[in-house]
Amino acid sequence: MDLPRSRRGRPPLTRERIVEKALSMIDEAGVEGLSMRGLGASLGVEGMAIYHHFDGKGALLDAVAEALLVEADPPGREVADPYDRIRIGARRYRRVAVSHPRAFVLLTTRRFATQRSFEVLERILVAFADAGFDAAMSARLFRLVGYFAGGAGHAEIASRAAQDDPTPIVMERFSDAAFPHVLAAAPHLRLDRLDDVFEDGLERVIDAIRRAPRSC
C-alpha cells in the first residue's frame, strides 16, 4: 500500500511550515518572487495544497507579516520601566529590517488582523498606558515610534543593499565644492555608524515621549 507522503519521512504540511518556507523564499527573492506553485514545490506538495491552509497569497503574506511582527515582539511587564519596553521594541523592529530586508516591507504594507498580531500591539500600547498616557495620546506616540523605527529600517535596507558604503563612493563623482555639507555629513552616515545614529535618534524620540502631555 502506498503510504501518504507525510508518513514516508516528510513532515506534515502545517501553517507554520508554510509561513517559515514562504519567509525564506521572500528573503531570497523578494515578495514578487514568491508564488504559490513555487512554494508548494519547495515543500514537496502541489501548489493547491497551500490553499487548504490559506485562502490565497494575500492571506499568506498577512501570516508572514505576523511572523515578522512576533519576531519584533516587545517585552511585557516583566520589564518594569515602560520606556525600556518602548526602546527594546524599537530595536527589535529595526533588527527585523536588517535580518529580513526583502520581507520587511510587509510590516508597512499589510494590515494586522490576527490574534497574535493584536497581542503584540496590545503589549506596545500597554507600555504607553503604563507611562501614564491616555488612549488618544498612546495612539499618537505609537505612530511616532513606528514612523521612526520603520523609517530607520527602510533607510538601512536601502544603504545595505546598494554596496558597503554607497554615499562616499557616489560623492567621488562630484567636486568637494559642489556639495560641501553633504560631503561633511557622509562619513557620519557610513554603515559602521548606523547603530550610533539609530540609538541617538531613539533616545531623542524617548525624550520627546517623556515630555509629551499625557492626553491630547
Side-chain angles (χ1 to χ4, degrees):
M1 181 177 65
D2 188 26
L3 296 176
R5 289 185 177 183
S6 62
R7 295 176 61 187
R8 295 201 303 254
R10 181 177 292 117
L13 189 65
T14 63
R15 286 177 62 92
E16 291 73 18
R17 279 192 67 215
I18 294 170
V19 170
E20 182 179 0
K21 178 58 70 173
L23 177 56
S24 176
M25 293 179 69
I26 293 172
D27 283 341
E28 292 182 5
V31 175
E32 65 282 357
L34 176 68
S35 70
M36 302 299 261
R37 178 178 295 180
L39 177 59
S42 68
L43 289 165
V45 300
E46 296 294 331
M48 290 302 296
I50 306 297
Y51 291 93
H52 292 298
H53 299 271
F54 296 96
D55 292 339
K57 186 175 180 180
L60 174 59
L61 292 178
D62 287 343
V64 174
E66 178 194 78
L68 293 173
L69 188 63
V70 170
E71 188 173 325
D73 193 8
R77 284 175 168 154
E78 68 276 8
V79 174
D81 187 342
Y83 295 102
D84 282 343
R85 290 180 238 160
I86 296 168
R87 282 189 185 89
I88 294 169
R91 289 167 181 157
R92 289 178 180 176
Y93 197 80
R94 177 209 179 200
R95 189 173 63 201
V96 170
V98 176
S99 300
H100 305 283
R102 292 178 173 174
F104 185 70
V105 65
L106 295 175
L107 286 177
T108 54
T109 59
R110 309 300 301 184
R111 295 188 65 83
F112 304 125
T114 67
Q115 180 172 336
R116 292 182 72 193
S117 62
F118 283 124
E119 287 172 356
V120 174
L121 297 179
E122 178 73 9
R123 236 181 325 276
I124 297 170
L125 291 172
V126 164
F128 289 108
D130 286 351
F133 298 104
D134 68 7
M137 185 56 73
S138 292
R140 293 189 179 192
L141 297 175
F142 163 73
R143 287 294 192 190
L144 172 65
V145 174
Y147 294 153
F148 169 72
H154 283 295
E156 290 199 30
I157 288 169
S159 293
R160 294 173 189 275
Q163 49 200 339
D164 289 341
D165 271 307
T167 302
I169 293 174
V170 171
M171 284 303 301
E172 290 176 0
R173 305 174 188 169
F174 305 99
S175 67
D176 292 358
F179 305 102
H181 294 89
V182 175
L183 187 66
H188 305 285
L189 298 175
R190 297 175 65 93
L191 294 184
D192 59 3
R193 299 298 301 275
L194 291 183
D195 288 346
D196 291 339
V197 171
F198 178 84
E199 288 297 325
D200 178 73
L202 179 57
E203 287 309 310
R204 293 176 188 275
V205 170
I206 294 295
D207 183 60
I209 293 172
R210 287 185 185 276
R211 293 183 285 104
R214 266 42 192 175
S215 62
C216 296

